[in-house]
Amino acid sequence: MSRLSDLYKAMETLRKEGLSLNEDLEKQVSDLEENIIKKEILPIVTETIAPALKQVQRELVLVVDYVPGIPISVHLSRKRNFTADITDAKEILPDPQVEHKEIGKTGPKGKISAATRLKITFANGNVIQESQASETFRKFVMEIGAERVRSLGLKQNKVPLISNTLDKKYKSSQKAVGNGWYLMTCSNTLTKKRDIERIANAFKVKIKVEII
């Protein structure tokens, strides 16, 4: 079941129990619904229609009018600034694909070092320590908040550390951290440690990071 379905199911359960939502909670639910749609639904819509539009050689705007239970209505416009007439319109922009240079083989690889892990200890005693450094990093980012981490503008291999686009080259190393965001984990353990420390320092989170 999707997060959106979970949200609607929870709301329906509250209504069946005769519980009403106050204005503040209604706003929180509305914001959460909008965030899920922006991060999980709209990127899929964008990826679906983009290939079909490549043959179009002029600027245009497509407006999708969706009402549950009614066929989708799509309108075409040449007015690029139509959002000025819609006060709550929001533009969703996926991160662009990064061009990576292909490096040829330079000879036989040396001895592969033994895998290392990370241990993160918070000031309150809580510990994040998974079997893989990438998973420890992922759980740390989820603890801090993917969007907060993204706001720092960090990059790894030229790809945003937190991105809403799966990179063609490194997508297998991008781990989901919720709401349509992905964490780039293609780095060695020491680099991950340094990134974790930079993030913690930026948000004044007291932690101890160890390579084990």
Side-chain angles (χ1 to χ4, degrees):
M1 184 178 292
S2 69
R3 294 181 65 229
L4 205 53
S5 297
D6 288 340
L7 176 62
Y8 293 148
K9 184 178 180 180
M11 295 298 295
E12 183 61 26
T13 299
L14 290 176
R15 293 191 184 97
K16 286 181 178 179
E17 295 298 328
L19 299 177
S20 59
L21 304 180
N22 58 39
E23 185 177 338
D24 182 59
L25 189 54
E26 284 277 10
K27 184 179 185 305
Q28 290 184 50
V29 170
S30 178
D31 289 344
L32 177 58
E33 178 188 42
E34 181 180 290
N35 189 54
I36 294 174
I37 292 172
K38 286 195 301 182
K39 296 299 188 296
E40 298 185 10
I41 306 299
L42 293 188
I44 296 174
V45 174
T46 301
E47 291 176 4
T48 301
I49 66 174
L53 290 176
K54 286 185 177 180
Q55 59 186 310
V56 179
Q57 297 184 6
R58 68 178 180 86
E59 295 181 349
L60 56 82
V61 172
L62 295 179
V63 180
V64 179
D65 187 8
Y66 172 72
V67 178
I70 299 177
I72 289 177
S73 175
V74 181
H75 305 273
L76 174 66
S77 172
R78 295 188 182 185
K79 185 179 179 182
R80 291 296 312 283
N81 64 340
F82 80 101
T83 53
D85 301 326
I86 307 176
T87 57
D88 63 346
K90 296 180 177 63
E91 186 176 18
I92 308 300
L93 295 175
D95 291 331
Q97 285 288 343
V98 175
E99 293 296 327
H100 300 285
K101 292 183 179 179
E102 294 297 329
I103 301 177
K105 296 182 179 180
T106 57
K109 294 183 178 180
K111 183 179 179 180
I112 299 176
S113 302
T116 52
R117 296 181 295 157
L118 288 170
K119 178 181 179 181
I120 305 173
T121 306
F122 290 81
N124 62 4
N126 289 343
V127 174
I128 300 177
Q129 181 182 335
E130 301 299 326
S131 59
Q132 294 182 324
S134 59
E135 181 61 13
T136 300
F137 191 11
R138 188 183 76 86
K139 288 196 172 182
F140 171 75
V141 167
M142 294 183 70
E143 178 72 22
I144 299 299
E147 293 191 19
R148 294 179 71 200
V149 175
R150 177 178 168 83
S151 70
L152 299 177
L154 302 177
K155 290 189 176 184
Q156 187 61 247
N157 298 312
K158 299 194 295 184
V159 176
L161 188 66
I162 303 295
S163 177
N164 56 7
T165 298
L166 286 172
D167 186 77
K168 291 179 180 179
K169 182 176 181 179
Y170 294 106
K171 61 183 178 182
S172 63
S173 297
Q174 290 177 283
K175 309 301 180 183
V177 286
N179 292 338
W181 297 112
Y182 299 93
L183 167 68
M184 167 61 82
T185 65
C186 186
S187 60
N188 59 38
T189 305
L190 179 59
T191 298
K192 290 183 178 69
K193 176 179 183 292
R194 289 171 176 168
D195 283 340
I196 290 170
E197 290 171 337
R198 289 175 66 186
I199 294 167
N201 289 335
F203 296 112
K204 295 180 172 52
V205 178
K206 293 183 178 181
I207 59 171
K208 178 182 179 182
V209 188
E210 302 171 84
I211 296 178
I212 56 177

